[in-house]
Amino acid sequence: SAVISQKPSRDICQRGTSLTIQCQVDSQVTMMFWYRQQPGQSLTLIATANQGSEATYESGFVIDKFPISRPNLTFSTLTVSNMSPEDSSIYLCSVIPGQGANEQFFGPGTRLTVL
Amino acid sequence: AQSVAQPEDQVNVAEGNPLTVKCTYSVSGNPYLFWYVQYPNRGLQFLLKYITGDNLVKGSYGFEAEFNKSQTSFHLKKPSALVSDSALYFCAVRAPNDYKLSFGAGTTVTVRA
């Protein structure tokens, strides 16, 4: 498994501002992902964070709105840009720990409220 | 395309009774199946997985799940539920050659004392 931390754990932001969420893993991992969980909903994959290259975004998500960085094998950031109330969600990062692993392990999530 | 259906939004059981949470899936090729649990204000915790082998897999906290290929199902079970099992449960699937997970809508389990 892997120990994953996220900062901040929660935030309340104003419309039109941006928030950067950090994800830190206690070991080097190959695969990192960012998910969104809207209120009362299931999880939706936003993007795969690729180390040293641009993230791979899922349909409906774009880099201008959700820029992602992954400078090394233990850290990634997700920015939610130009926020609106519709962006109020829980944002979770996940990892696949290493070669041969199949399950994803999730961070505790960042609960974002946009006013 | 891959997808997961969890037909029950809520499951209510009495403590000590068996608990079953249903899941059916659709995926190209052999499925990789997972169950996760989410407690209030916390992230997802991995419970168990089916990749290959024995159709009955055992996981954390006394949970098990049975893979049924003909019915494309992967139901989660616990023989004797505890109040502390009350949480939101997600089933997820992916194809062998793709790391992207597709989640079901989730089932809220309430175990009453």
Side-chain angles (χ1 to χ4, degrees):
Chain A
S1 65
V3 178
I4 307 166
S5 59
Q6 286 185 232
K7 290 182 181 179
S9 58
R10 59 178 62 222
D11 207 342
I12 301 173
C13 301
Q14 295 298 318
R15 177 194 302 262
T17 63
S18 297
L19 176 71
T20 296
I21 302 167
Q22 299 179 7
C23 178
Q24 179 74 54
V25 191
D26 68 339
S27 59
Q28 293 186 343
V29 296
T30 305
M31 308 290 292
M32 292 183 76
F33 307 89
W34 286 98
Y35 286 84
R36 180 176 72 182
Q37 186 179 18
Q38 294 177 299
Q41 302 295 314
S42 185
L43 282 80
T44 302
L45 180 64
I46 297 171
T48 302
N50 301 309
Q51 194 268 328
S53 64
E54 195 169 283
T56 305
Y57 289 85
E58 297 302 304
S59 176
F61 297 96
V62 295
I63 187 171
D64 290 346
K65 176 67 175 178
F66 297 101
I68 289 171
S69 77
R70 189 173 174 199
N72 56 53
L73 293 176
T74 65
F75 185 79
S76 178
T77 66
L78 168 74
T79 299
V80 186
S81 303
N82 188 25
M83 288 184 286
S84 67
E86 293 70 36
D87 294 320
S88 298
S89 296
I90 299 174
Y91 292 87
L92 301 103
C93 70
S94 74
V95 305
I96 296 179
Q99 295 290 343
N102 293 297
E103 60 270 32
Q104 291 185 24
F105 292 93
F106 286 80
T110 296
R111 183 180 294 271
L112 171 61
T113 301
V114 184
L115 303 177
Chain B
Q2 58 194 37
S3 64
V4 173
Q6 293 181 240
E8 299 161 317
D9 292 337
Q10 293 196 15
V11 170
N12 299 304
V13 299
E15 188 172 36
N17 282 1
L19 169 64
T20 299
V21 186
K22 296 179 181 178
C23 169
T24 58
Y25 66 89
S26 174
V27 70
S28 296
N30 294 322
Y32 285 20
L33 293 156
F34 307 87
W35 276 101
Y36 289 86
V37 60
Q38 186 176 37
Y39 297 99
N41 300 314
R42 295 176 65 176
L44 268 68
Q45 295 182 28
F46 169 73
L47 279 179
L48 51 77
K49 65 181 177 183
Y50 172 82
I51 304 299
T52 186
D54 195 345
N55 289 344
L56 183 66
V57 294
K58 296 185 182 296
S60 306
Y61 312 120
F63 283 95
E64 58 189 29
E66 185 166 12
F67 170 64
N68 187 316
K69 187 173 184 178
S70 63
Q71 298 184 3
T72 62
S73 67
F74 189 56
H75 301 330
L76 181 70
K77 300 178 181 182
K78 186 170 184 179
S80 179
L82 301 173
V83 172
S84 57
D85 293 328
S86 298
L88 181 57
Y89 291 80
F90 289 101
C91 181
V93 69
R94 70 170 178 92
N97 58 348
D98 188 347
Y99 287 105
K100 299 176 189 176
L101 277 178
S102 295
F103 285 84
T107 299
T108 299
V109 170
T110 302
V111 182
R112 60 186 184 277

